[in-house]
Each structure stands twice: as C-alpha cells, then as structure tokens.
Amino acid sequence: MPLTQHQPLKDLISRFKFQKVLDSSPQTKVLSLLGTIDGKDAIITAEKTHFTFDENIKKPNPVDGRSTPIFYQCENEYSIVNGIQELKEIASNDIYHWGLAIIKQDMEENPTARLNLIWPATPVHIKKYSQQNFHLVRETPEMYKQFVIPYIEKQYEQGRLDWVDDVLYGDVESERIVYKDFSEDKKKDGFIILPNTKWDGVNLDSLYLVAMVYRDDIRSVRDLKPSDRPWLIQLNNKIRSIIPACYNFMIHADELRIFIHYQPSYYYFHIHIVNIRHSGLEDNIAAGKAILLDDIIDNLDFLGPNGYLDKTLTYVIGEDNELWKGGLREAAMEQMERDGIPKLPNIVSGFDPKSKTLNP
Amino acid sequence: MPLTQHQPLKDLISRFKFQKVLDSSPQTKVLSLLGTIDGKDAIITAEKTHFTFDENIKKPNPVDGRSTPIFYQCENEYSIVNGIQELKEIASNDIYHWGLAIIKQDMEENPTARLNLIWPATPVHIKKYSQQNFHLVRETPEMYKQFVIPYIEKQYEQGRLDWVDDVLYGDVESERIVYKDFSEDKKKDGFIILPNTKWDGVNLDSLYLVAMVYRDDIRSVRDLKPSDRPWLIQLNNKIRSIIPACYNFMIHADELRIFIHYQPSYYYFHIHIVNIRHSGLEDNIAAGKAILLDDIIDNLDFLGPNGYLDKTLTYVIGEDNELWKGGLREAAMEQMERDGIPKLPNIVSGFDPKSKTLNP
C-alpha cells in the first residue's frame, strides 16, 4: 500500500506494536507510547476526555451586561449524575465519602479518550514526546546569534516548515479553519485561526486556538521590533474581537490568554489563544515558555530599534532539545560559573538524603 | 435513619439531586457538583482516572546519578494498546492523525473515575469548591496609581501584613526555616527562605519555597527600579547557590523556576522558588501571574529610572478580588472599548449553541 494513500486510523492503530511508554502525566491524564507500525516508528498520545455535562448558557449580568456562565443541568445520560453504571465505596469518614465509578461511554457523546498518532515518526518527534530533564537557560543576544539562528536556518533548509504553506495556502485542514482574514493585496495583515490539536473542539472551558500570520518574515519573538508594534496591537484587537463572535460570545475578549512560546515548537510566527480558565496545559502557559502578547507589545515600547533581538530571554529547555545539545548547555554552564554558582560537588558516597548537609 | 448510621455511598449518590456545577477543570478532568441529598447540601467531586499500564520502575542514570523512570509494558487488557473497543477518526494530515476512542472499563482494573462526596456540606465547603470567573487586565501605570496603591495602603493600615514581621524577626515558623541570611548591619541584603504551604516538604519533584527579603521598601514588582538591579542579581545568585546545597544537590541551580507574582497574594516583596519539573500548580507559574526574576532583571536594564512603575502589566484577576470590584473592572471595560473590542450583543433569545453565528 503506497504511503500517499490514506490509511484509516483504525487500521493503523490495530497494527501498532508497543515498545515503551514515552511519557505519562497522572495530573492531566495524558499518556504517550512509542511503538511501530509496519516497522516504522509510531507515537500514540492519548488524553482522557473531560466529564460530560449539558450545554451551558450564559446568563446576562444586570450590572455590567456581561454574562456569567450558568451550567444548567447534568441530565445528560452520560453525566456523572445519570451515567453511573457501577459504584464502589472505598472509604467513609464522617461527612467525607470516597469511591470509584464506572460511567457509561459512547463514541459520539462520551468517548474515553482523544488519540493522536504520529506515523511515521522521526527521532525529533520521539524526543519531543519523551520525558526528559529540564533546565532554565538565560539566552543572551549573543547566544541567540551563535546557536539559535543557525538552528532555525537549518530547519528551513531541511523543509521542515513546508507544511505551514499547506495550511496557509492549501486545502489542508481547510475545514478546520475557525477564521481566515486574507486578501492578496493586504497579505501583511492576514492571519488564520485554527483549533490547536490539544483541544477537543467541543468544550469551551478548554478552548485552545492558534493564529498563524501570513507575514513570513518573523520566525519568533526575537524578530519583533518596535516598528511591528502597531501590527501586533491590531492583531491582538482583531483576535479579541473575532474569537468571542466565533463562539457566540460564550467567551469574552478578556477571558482569552493570548501568548507566544519561546522557544516555539516551530519557527514561523504563531500565537496561542487559550481560555483563561484553562490553567494547566503542562508548561504551555508557564512563565519560562509563554510570553503574553500584551507584554510583548508593552516591551517593544521600551526596547531599542532592534527590539527583542537585544533582549535576554529566559526559558525552560529540555535536554533532548537540539539547541541544548548544540551548544546552549555549555554556554549556560559558563554563565552559571560567571554568576558564581558553585559547581556540583563530586557526590559518590557519604550521601545522606535525611540530613541537610553534605558528609565529607 | 439516624445520620450516625453508615449509609452506603451508592445509596447516597442515588438520592443526589443536582443543582449546579461548582467547578470544572478540563486540564485535570475534575468536576465538582453541588446538589442535595435528603434536602441537605452535598458536593460530589469526580476525577477521571489515569490510563492503565503495567508497573514502572526508576532506573538510575549512570552519567549523572539522576534516576529516569522506566515504564515496562502495556500488555494490560485495559491499556490503550489492548483495551480499545471503538475508534473514530477525526482528521488526518500527512503523518498526523487524530481520533477518539472508547476503552474497555472495569470496576477493579480500570474504573472511569474517582468520586468524593461531602455530605452534609457546609457553606465553607461550597465556597472552597466553587469556581470564580477570571479576566485578563492590562494595568497601566495610571490604573496602578488610582486603584492598586490605595488598596495596598489599606492592607498595611489594617495591619494585615503584621505577620510578616513575626516571620522575619519572631519565633513564628522558625523551625520551618530552610535558610536565613541576616545581620543587623547588612539588613538590606538579608533574606529568609521558607517552604511554601503548598509543598509537602518531602517530594523534591514538587519543591516549592518562598524567599522573603528584609528590605521593607518594596511592596511588589511595581516598586523595583534600575537601581535595584545589582541587589536582585545578587539575590538571584544567592538563591541559586543555596537551594541546591540545602537539598544535597538533588536539585541543581538551573532546575529552579524563580519568579514573583503580580498581583501578589500579599504586598511585601517575596520570591517563589519551584522545581522546574513541577508544572501542575494551577496558575501559579502561568504567564499572566508569574514573572521570572531573570526577566525582571533584564527588563530593568531597558526601563527608565522609574522602573516597573512606568510599565503596563497584564495579569489574570478573579472576580472575587477586591481590586476587581474596587474599580479595575470598569477601567478594564473602558480600555476594551478604546481598543475597539465590540461590546456584547444583547443576547436574549435566538441563541443556538450548535451554530457558529448569532441569530438576529
């Protein structure tokens, strides 16, 4: 069967041969597995769905005209109220009771999990989904020039960003587009909004969208200059005007967390848009990875004409990241030495985790 | 039936009359419902279980002595590999495939959820489990002066920060102190490090400490000026030198996420220190609340002599916050109007949650 022919997900998954668990988060109920399909590496990532409850409406608040979400009922037959098929008590103490439940499932109304398959997966994919150690790196403008620029250029040379054109100009994912603002004569102002693959597309509480711009001269926040400020302000205002309207004003402009990532997962300027209620998302919204668009706009007011090119950016990086292995590690270690941070003692024996001091 | 007699959880849940959803977290898949059982308030909290897979162990890494989790296999019949009962494809793009799945359930081996019932629940329980609405606020220097400064001054006048002195100079919590650097003649450089109450004090993966400074002229990041830069750099370096030593170098200097909160929970300058791996802290490390100390140090290099007093700071605020109720709300709404964000339409009828457009 040629690779270009579409293979149903069901067939692919049925041929999946498990090798190992790449990552597991009991907090978010996400699991990533490495295996093979037809001898080629495959990554399955699964995330449990949230609980089902009925449609919610927003009740207008008489004070300011805003509406407050009112969750109507849990009369849905798959809800925690009506969907319980089995219940087992674990413990009970005064007014507190604990138990386990089995809730009715249904492919349309209440599936168990969302699945994501990458196949064939490259070593880069495997690294991305693997559990690893992380470090905080203070990237100076010099470090950016020395390590990051060559890395980005390699990405482009290798055609790893060709898919961006397919999304912006092709038919790929066109049925998933939430909003498109594009005209050939005003390409600079154009942008497209898509659901992030992390979102189930249903539950507004976990709304997660991505805006990609048609401007192709910005690879990351590092390329933003004070002259881009009006463009960013306009983009920010457009996003905050459009998204609420796209979702029937069930979410308001000031309930959107709008940010970029540095380092981004790909070096073509895109903006993350997430429901402000959606707090966790692993480190996706964490300081040390996420930078609010509003903060960028404000900083560009203070930065010199080179904008973010002259700034020191501090972020969390995984040991598997090519940038870490390609020089950032050594640069970060030198930096710590200059800061006077003591080097690690050579701990071989005499180690007592109970005591707060090192045995000689 | 007297209340003291044990009632099976199954019977209690079956008599549960739903009233409303108190809280819902799509990230952690946790849902809290308020209802009544026999006319008395009851709170059901449910959390989806994690995926089932076989035992895992931690294997020490010979290179650096750290241990890496090794997960054995997924041969369990309820695992994502063997337990799929139904599979539905959602989309497919090149090597990326998305779908939904139903996985076999079993009360002993793979239940859907853990349940927790509080009954009878008090108003304090209900408030604790209730969700508030949040908003993103872009606080200009003017808004800070108009709303935040008077609020901070009121806090001090009411003696709400007297406990800080007890911690710094008294015996309170002295047995909890992780590190203290204080001498009367160099008070300005002094600081104290304590465990955050969110930390269990045991699991280093979730290490969470707080550093409080002896300088009492800084109420928040807003009071930091370029002249404070050397002091902050020294503080940052000291923290990164001391913490690893306090914990036997089980954690390294570049594995600490060091940040402040704005708005802080109290207006006396303090710094949060968290293991970089610890992402599950609700919004504690989120952009829009957390600001990295390294970013503050870098920004002070660009900001004018007034430092953070002249900056616009964007953050998430809850509707229960006194600041929101004390003027920020109106200021934020005026700001959105100036930004040209359309006001909410007056949705009274003609609302169709299935369609993406508003009916007139």
Side-chain angles (χ1 to χ4, degrees), chain A residues 255-272:
Chain A
E255 292 174 334
L256 299 170
R257 205 186 298 255
I258 303 170
F259 56 92
I260 62 94
H261 279 165
Y262 192 77
Q263 302 286 343
S265 54
Y266 54 94
Y267 292 87
Y268 184 94
F269 194 62
H270 60 284
I271 297 168
H272 301 248

Side-chain angles (χ1 to χ4, degrees), chain A residues 105-340:
Chain A
Q105 305 193 118
D106 178 82
M107 183 49 97
E108 299 302 322
E109 302 287 334
N110 194 27
T112 317
R114 274 176 297 124
L115 286 191
N116 174 358
L117 169 70
I118 303 178
W119 181 76
T122 65
V124 175
H125 290 117
I126 296 170
K127 266 167 219 159
K128 188 180 162 191
Y129 285 86
S130 299
Q131 209 168 46
Q132 54 181 321
N133 290 323
F134 292 93
H135 302 273
L136 197 73
V137 168
R138 212 166 67 225
E139 183 187 288
T140 60
E142 295 70 37
M143 283 159 73
Y144 172 68
K145 276 167 206 150
Q146 191 178 351
F147 305 112
V148 185
I149 289 180
Y151 175 72
I152 297 173
E153 280 167 0
K154 210 174 73 185
Q155 302 273 310
Y156 274 88
E157 281 162 21
Q158 294 176 343
R160 289 204 201 164
L161 282 131
D162 293 351
W163 63 269
V164 170
D165 268 3
D166 295 340
V167 169
L168 291 176
Y169 300 102
D171 283 336
V172 179
E173 306 196 64
S174 62
E175 79 285 356
R176 296 177 66 234
I177 292 172
V178 173
Y179 187 84
K180 186 171 181 169
D181 179 340
F182 176 71
S183 65
E184 201 59 59
D185 55 323
K186 286 180 78 183
K187 192 179 152 185
K188 184 183 181 280
D189 291 335
F191 64 98
I192 193 170
I193 298 176
L194 294 162
N196 187 300
T197 53
K198 289 187 173 72
W199 186 39
D200 61 13
V202 175
N203 191 336
L204 216 59
D205 272 1
S206 56
L207 176 84
Y208 196 153
L209 305 168
V210 174
M212 293 177 73
V213 301
Y214 278 88
R215 272 186 73 171
D216 56 7
D217 58 332
I218 304 169
R219 297 165 302 181
S220 79
V221 68
R222 280 280 188 203
D223 290 331
L224 292 173
K225 299 184 172 33
S227 54
D228 296 315
R229 233 182 139 242
W231 175 72
L232 288 171
I233 290 171
Q234 193 187 43
L235 198 56
N236 193 20
N237 289 341
K238 276 186 183 171
I239 289 171
R240 293 188 299 152
S241 301
I242 289 159
I243 304 299
C246 287
Y247 295 97
N248 266 332
F249 301 96
M250 299 278 277
I251 188 159
H252 305 322
D254 67 346
E255 292 174 334
L256 299 170
R257 205 186 298 255
I258 303 170
F259 56 92
I260 62 94
H261 279 165
Y262 192 77
Q263 302 286 343
S265 54
Y266 54 94
Y267 292 87
Y268 184 94
F269 194 62
H270 60 284
I271 297 168
H272 301 248
I273 305 157
V274 175
N275 189 331
I276 210 171
R277 283 174 179 278
H278 198 5
S279 62
L281 290 163
E282 287 151 33
D283 63 341
N284 272 301
I285 61 165
K289 178 165 187 176
I291 308 177
L292 295 184
L293 184 53
D294 279 316
D295 284 342
I296 294 171
I297 290 169
D298 189 62
N299 278 339
L300 288 173
D301 216 13
F302 292 99
L303 292 166
N306 287 330
Y308 269 82
L309 212 53
D310 286 347
K311 223 175 143 19
T312 288
L313 293 174
T314 301
Y315 54 84
V316 175
I317 191 167
E319 283 184 1
D320 288 339
N321 191 305
E322 295 291 330
L323 284 168
W324 177 254
K325 292 185 284 190
L328 276 188
R329 180 175 63 182
E330 289 71 21
M333 286 182 83
E334 279 170 32
Q335 215 172 36
M336 282 204 282
E337 210 172 321
R338 278 197 303 276
D339 289 345

Side-chain angles (χ1 to χ4, degrees), chain A residues 6 8-10 18 21 24-25 27-31 33 46-51 53 63 66 68 72-74 80 86-89 92 95-103 105-108 112-119 125 131 133-136 138 172-173 197 205-206 237 240-241 248-250 252-255 257 276-277 280-281 285-287 290 294 298-299 302-303 310-312 314 339 341-342 344-345 351-352 355 357, chain B residues 6 8-10 18 24-31 33 46-51 53 66 69 71 73-74 80-81 86-89 92-93 95-103 105-108 112-120 125 131 133-136 138 237 240-241 248-250 252-257 276-277 280 285-287 290 294 298-299 302-303 310-312 314 329 333 339 341-342 344-345 351-352 354-355 357-358:
Chain A
H6 177 72
L9 182 60
K10 197 178 278 188
F18 172 76
V21 175
S24 162
S25 165
Q27 187 221 352
T28 56
K29 287 82 184 171
V30 176
L31 184 70
L33 306 178
E47 177 173 7
K48 287 273 173 98
T49 55
H50 190 34
F51 290 97
F53 47 91
V63 179
R66 286 166 184 261
T68 313
Y72 256 146
Q73 45 203 354
C74 265
I80 188 82
E86 283 183 61
L87 192 63
K88 183 182 153 190
E89 186 162 341
S92 190
I95 62 167
Y96 301 97
H97 313 265
W98 295 272
L100 293 169
I102 290 184
I103 299 168
Q105 305 193 118
D106 178 82
M107 183 49 97
E108 299 302 322
T112 317
R114 274 176 297 124
L115 286 191
N116 174 358
L117 169 70
I118 303 178
W119 181 76
H125 290 117
Q131 209 168 46
N133 290 323
F134 292 93
H135 302 273
L136 197 73
R138 212 166 67 225
V172 179
E173 306 196 64
T197 53
D205 272 1
S206 56
N237 289 341
R240 293 188 299 152
S241 301
N248 266 332
F249 301 96
M250 299 278 277
H252 305 322
D254 67 346
E255 292 174 334
R257 205 186 298 255
I276 210 171
R277 283 174 179 278
L281 290 163
I285 61 165
D294 279 316
D298 189 62
N299 278 339
F302 292 99
L303 292 166
D310 286 347
K311 223 175 143 19
T312 288
T314 301
D339 289 345
I341 311 295
L344 281 185
F351 175 82
D352 177 7
S355 119
T357 53
Chain B
H6 177 72
L9 182 61
K10 196 178 282 189
F18 172 78
S24 161
S25 165
Q27 184 225 351
T28 55
K29 287 82 185 170
V30 176
L31 183 69
L33 306 179
E47 177 172 7
K48 287 273 174 99
T49 56
H50 189 35
F51 290 98
F53 52 90
R66 292 159 189 254
F71 301 100
Q73 47 202 355
C74 261
I80 188 82
V81 175
E86 283 182 59
L87 193 62
K88 183 184 153 191
E89 186 162 342
S92 190
N93 177 5
I95 61 167
Y96 303 97
H97 313 265
W98 297 273
L100 294 169
I102 290 182
I103 299 168
Q105 306 193 117
D106 178 82
M107 184 50 96
E108 300 303 322
T112 318
R114 278 192 303 274
L115 285 192
N116 174 358
L117 169 71
I118 303 178
W119 180 77
H125 287 119
Q131 190 177 40
N133 288 325
F134 292 93
H135 302 273
L136 197 74
R138 212 165 70 224
N237 289 342
R240 292 187 301 152
S241 300
N248 268 329
F249 300 96
M250 298 278 278
H252 304 176
D254 67 347
E255 293 174 332
L256 299 171
R257 204 185 300 255
I276 210 169
R277 283 178 176 278
I285 62 165
D294 278 315
D298 189 61
N299 278 339
F302 292 99
L303 291 166
D310 287 346
K311 225 175 140 19
T312 288
T314 301
R329 180 176 67 177
M333 287 184 81
D339 289 345
I341 311 296
L344 284 186
F351 175 80
D352 177 7
K354 291 284 190 314
S355 120
T357 53
L358 257 187

Side-chain angles (χ1 to χ4, degrees), chain B residues 18-294:
Chain B
F18 172 78
Q19 284 183 334
K20 65 171 179 174
V21 175
L22 290 178
D23 201 358
S24 161
S25 165
Q27 184 225 351
T28 55
K29 287 82 185 170
V30 176
L31 183 69
S32 285
L33 306 179
L34 178 66
T36 57
I37 296 172
D38 303 345
K40 293 190 186 74
D41 285 334
I43 299 168
I44 294 180
T45 303
E47 177 172 7
K48 287 273 174 99
T49 56
H50 189 35
F51 290 98
T52 300
F53 52 90
D54 294 338
E55 251 87 295
N56 55 71
I57 58 149
K58 283 215 170 194
K59 187 182 156 192
N61 180 337
V63 179
D64 58 5
R66 292 159 189 254
S67 53
T68 314
I70 302 286
F71 301 100
Y72 266 140
Q73 47 202 355
C74 261
E75 295 188 356
N76 186 301
E77 65 172 304
Y78 302 99
S79 78
I80 188 82
V81 175
N82 297 319
I84 294 182
Q85 288 180 320
E86 283 182 59
L87 193 62
K88 183 184 153 191
E89 186 162 342
I90 296 174
S92 190
N93 177 5
D94 192 20
I95 61 167
Y96 303 97
H97 313 265
W98 297 273
L100 294 169
I102 290 182
I103 299 168
K104 190 157 55 162
Q105 306 193 117
D106 178 82
M107 184 50 96
E108 300 303 322
E109 301 287 334
N110 194 26
T112 318
R114 278 192 303 274
L115 285 192
N116 174 358
L117 169 71
I118 303 178
W119 180 77
T122 66
V124 176
H125 287 119
I126 296 169
K127 191 166 184 190
K128 188 181 161 192
Y129 284 86
S130 298
Q131 190 177 40
Q132 55 173 331
N133 288 325
F134 292 93
H135 302 273
L136 197 74
V137 168
R138 212 165 70 224
E139 183 187 287
T140 60
E142 294 71 37
M143 282 159 73
Y144 172 68
K145 276 167 207 151
Q146 191 179 352
F147 304 112
V148 185
I149 290 182
Y151 174 73
I152 298 173
E153 280 167 0
K154 208 173 75 184
Q155 303 273 308
Y156 273 89
E157 280 162 22
Q158 294 176 343
R160 288 206 203 162
L161 283 132
D162 293 351
W163 64 269
V164 170
D165 267 5
D166 295 340
V167 169
L168 291 175
Y169 300 103
D171 283 338
V172 179
E173 306 196 65
S174 62
E175 80 286 355
R176 296 177 67 234
I177 291 172
V178 173
Y179 187 84
K180 186 170 180 169
D181 180 342
F182 176 71
S183 65
E184 201 58 61
D185 56 323
K186 286 180 77 183
K187 192 179 152 184
K188 184 182 181 281
D189 291 336
F191 65 98
I192 193 170
I193 298 176
L194 295 160
N196 186 299
T197 51
K198 288 187 173 69
W199 186 39
D200 62 12
V202 176
N203 190 340
L204 217 58
D205 272 2
S206 55
L207 176 83
Y208 196 153
L209 305 168
V210 174
M212 294 176 73
V213 301
Y214 278 88
R215 271 186 74 171
D216 56 8
D217 58 333
I218 304 169
R219 297 167 301 180
S220 80
V221 68
R222 280 280 188 202
D223 290 331
L224 291 172
K225 299 184 172 35
S227 55
D228 296 315
R229 235 182 135 242
W231 175 72
L232 287 171
I233 290 171
Q234 192 188 44
L235 196 57
N236 193 21
N237 289 342
K238 277 186 183 171
I239 290 171
R240 292 187 301 152
S241 300
I242 289 159
I243 303 298
C246 286
Y247 295 96
N248 268 329
F249 300 96
M250 298 278 278
I251 188 157
H252 304 176
D254 67 347
E255 293 174 332
L256 299 171
R257 204 185 300 255
I258 303 170
F259 56 92
I260 62 93
H261 279 164
Y262 193 78
Q263 302 286 343
S265 53
Y266 54 93
Y267 292 87
Y268 184 95
F269 194 62
H270 61 284
I271 297 168
H272 300 247
I273 305 155
V274 175
N275 190 332
I276 210 169
R277 283 178 176 278
H278 195 8
S279 58
L281 284 159
E282 287 154 29
D283 63 341
N284 272 300
I285 62 165
K289 177 165 186 176
I291 308 176
L292 293 184
L293 184 54
D294 278 315

